[in-house]
């Protein structure tokens, strides 16, 4: 039976990432360091190809796609944008530590909405709805492989919702310029809405770099859990 592959890649580093700020809907570009890191990774490691390329419309994702795939014209998909943190955009957790609503949001990110922003529940619905429509389009047209350049929160949400093996939201934290490859089998997808996570991106990232990346990811998991709320699979 024909299978379909989707490669989820997180955008490169931004200055806001480097400063530990909450940046979701704010349209910031890659930092100079982030762009250079991506260029180095594209020269050193193999990234998967595809028949179609989707990106979040935000600059950091479009620029990432341009660096990793300079010969392609990606399709911008608004539903792949990061969560909108409202009035907390551009602020650090330290700056918000005495804000009672922020503390409540940290305790229940799925239900509490940042002022002027998007609740975790609404974000999850938007991202999953968008992904299912893209998968539906691939199945309908017979497009067997796609790359999606998007955000950390989007990738974690999708893999927590659909990924096999099952894992919690923050277990899918991924470094900048890295990601995961999914394999969708139509029968299994139609029946259970699940996809096999079969590889990391880039696949040939060497041991030392992988270990360093995973160390940084482990440090970020607690912050991700606070930012988006736990999404554990039972």
């Amino acid at each position: 039976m024909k299978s379909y592959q989707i490669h989820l890649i997180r955008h490169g580093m931004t200055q806001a990432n480097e400063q530990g700020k909450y940046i979701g809907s704010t349209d910031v570009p890659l930092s100079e360091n982030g762009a250079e890191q991506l260029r180095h990774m594209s020269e050193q490691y193999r990234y998967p190809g595809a028949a179609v390329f989707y990106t979040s419309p935000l600059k950091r994702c479009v620029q990432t796609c341009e660096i990793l795939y300079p010969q392609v014209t990606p399709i911008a998909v608004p539903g792949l944008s990061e969560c909108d943190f409202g009035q907390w955009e551009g602020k650090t957790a330290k700056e918000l530590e005495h804000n009672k609503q922020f503390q409540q949001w940290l305790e229940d990110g799925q239900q509490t909405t940042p002022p002027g922003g998007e609740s975790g529940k609404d974000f999850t619905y938007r991202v999953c709805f968008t992904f299912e429509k893209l998968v539906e389009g691939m199945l309908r047209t017979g497009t067997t492989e796609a790359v999606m350049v998007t955000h950390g929160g989007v990738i974690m949400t999708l893999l927590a919702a659909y990924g096999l093996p099952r894992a919690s939201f923050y277990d899918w934290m991924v470094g900048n310029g890295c990601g995961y490859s999914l394999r969708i089998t139509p029968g299994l997808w139609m029946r259970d809405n699940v996809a096999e996570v079969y590889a990391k991106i880039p696949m040939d990232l060497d041991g030392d770099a992988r270990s360093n990346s995973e160390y940084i990811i482990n440090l970020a998991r607690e912050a991700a859990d606070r930012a988006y709320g736990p999404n554990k699979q039972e």
Side-chain angles (χ1 to χ4, degrees), residues 40-99:
H40 172 75
M41 292 175 72
S42 68
E43 293 170 357
Q44 295 295 315
Y45 309 117
R46 290 176 299 145
Y47 280 84
V52 63
F53 294 78
Y54 300 108
T55 70
S56 157
L58 299 183
K59 291 176 184 176
R60 54 196 185 269
C61 292
V62 175
Q63 291 172 342
T64 296
C65 192
E66 289 173 348
I67 292 172
L68 297 180
Y69 301 99
Q71 305 302 319
V72 309
T73 302
I75 300 170
V77 180
L80 293 178
S81 297
E82 183 60 286
C83 184
D84 183 351
F85 297 118
Q87 294 178 17
W88 300 333
E89 291 271 338
K91 299 184 183 297
T92 65
K94 180 67 175 177
E95 292 174 311
L96 295 166
E97 64 180 347
H98 299 301
N99 184 307

Side-chain angles (χ1 to χ4, degrees), residues 5-7 9 46-53 68-69 72 144-147 181 198 201:
Q5 298 175 75
I6 297 177
H7 309 289
I9 301 174
R46 290 176 299 145
Y47 280 84
V52 63
F53 294 78
L68 297 180
Y69 301 99
V72 309
T144 58
E145 195 162 10
V147 164
S181 293
Y198 69 89
I201 301 171

Side-chain angles (χ1 to χ4, degrees), residues 157-215:
T157 296
L158 292 176
L159 295 184
Y162 304 114
L164 291 177
R166 291 296 193 184
S168 64
F169 176 85
Y170 47 83
D171 285 333
W172 294 113
M173 173 67 81
V174 65
N176 295 99
C178 298
Y180 293 95
S181 293
L182 289 72
R183 180 179 293 109
I184 292 177
T185 303
L188 191 59
W189 175 259
M190 297 296 186
R191 188 185 69 197
D192 298 323
N193 269 48
V194 293
E196 175 195 359
V197 182
Y198 69 89
K200 291 183 178 180
I201 301 171
M203 291 181 64
D204 52 353
L205 191 63
D206 62 78
D208 290 342
R210 178 78 70 190
S211 296
N212 183 58
S213 176
E214 290 180 352
Y215 171 71

Side-chain angles (χ1 to χ4, degrees), residues 212-231:
N212 183 58
S213 176
E214 290 180 352
Y215 171 71
I216 295 171
I217 288 169
N218 285 336
L219 294 180
R221 279 178 177 159
E222 182 179 351
D225 188 25
R226 290 197 303 267
Y228 300 97
N231 189 6

